[in-house]
Every structure is written in C-alpha cells, then in structure tokens.
Amino acid sequence: MSDERDSERSGQERPSTAADRRGRRSAASSDGASTPAKGRATPSRGATATSEKGSLFARLARFLREVVAELRKVIWPTRSQMVTYTIVVLVFVSFMVALVFALDTLFAEGVALLFGN
C-alpha cells in the first residue's frame, strides 16, 4: 500500500510485471496489456513426433550427440573441489553411521532392560 502512495507522489507508475521491475519492457506493455505477446505458435506434438522419426540408428546417433552437447555445458569441479566434497561426504556419512549405531545400541539396551533376556 505504501509503495502505491510513494509511486503516486513521485509521479512514476508502479511496474506491473516482474520483467518491468527488472527494467525490461515486454512487447505488450507498450499498449497497456499486462501479458506479453507470444513470438510464435507452439508446434503440436503429433507433427514433430512423426516428422523427426528416423531409423533406430539415426535416433540413437542424435541422442548421443545431444548427450555430448549437454555434457559440454556442465561446469566440472576442479580437483581441489572434488577432494573437499569427498571429505565432506565421508565425514557426514561417518557421523550418520555413528549416530544410527548409538541409537540402535541404546534402544537395544532399553528393550533388553524392559522385557528382559
């Protein structure tokens, strides 16, 4: 509520969308509409599935090319980061094993005391 009053006092209108708040203007914001216009229509699934089907080997080759392309986008950790992550995981797992062992032993002793041997 105070934001609306502040914007009225300063003479500026309040941004209506997240894109406007980030400084970007959508295509539809110039005519006053709140939703941006679509650039193109979404293709139907049936049309793309039948047009892109090829032989089994062609699909397999395309899949492998896409896998390699995605793996190139991955930011791989450095050796020191891997050593640090490995140590953190091993310490955490060791702590959890010790905690479960301690609770198991405690409950086993409690059950033995309660019900006897």
Side-chain angles (χ1 to χ4, degrees):
M1 189 91 173
S2 65
D3 290 333
E4 293 173 0
R5 281 189 239 136
D6 291 340
S7 66
E8 289 173 6
R9 288 184 201 145
S10 65
Q12 297 174 348
E13 68 179 67
R14 187 170 174 210
S16 59
T17 64
D20 291 341
R21 285 191 293 275
R22 288 190 299 264
R24 295 185 219 133
R25 293 286 173 181
S26 60
S29 66
S30 61
D31 62 357
S34 62
T35 57
K38 287 187 174 182
R40 59 185 168 86
T42 304
S44 64
R45 287 183 182 217
T48 58
T50 57
S51 65
E52 293 181 12
K53 269 199 170 174
S55 69
L56 177 66
F57 294 112
R59 288 184 288 165
L60 183 62
R62 179 177 173 213
F63 172 75
L64 292 175
R65 276 195 312 269
E66 290 177 5
V67 166
V68 170
E70 288 298 320
L71 285 175
R72 288 185 181 164
K73 295 178 189 177
V74 173
I75 299 173
W76 296 98
T78 63
R79 184 174 180 88
S80 64
Q81 288 173 332
M82 280 304 299
V83 169
T84 303
Y85 298 155
T86 303
I87 291 171
V88 167
V89 167
L90 290 176
V91 167
F92 178 75
V93 168
S94 300
F95 172 75
M96 292 306 294
V97 166
L99 178 66
V100 169
F101 175 76
L103 289 175
D104 183 50
T105 304
L106 180 70
F107 288 136
E109 290 295 322
V111 168
L113 288 174
L114 187 63
F115 295 112
N117 280 337

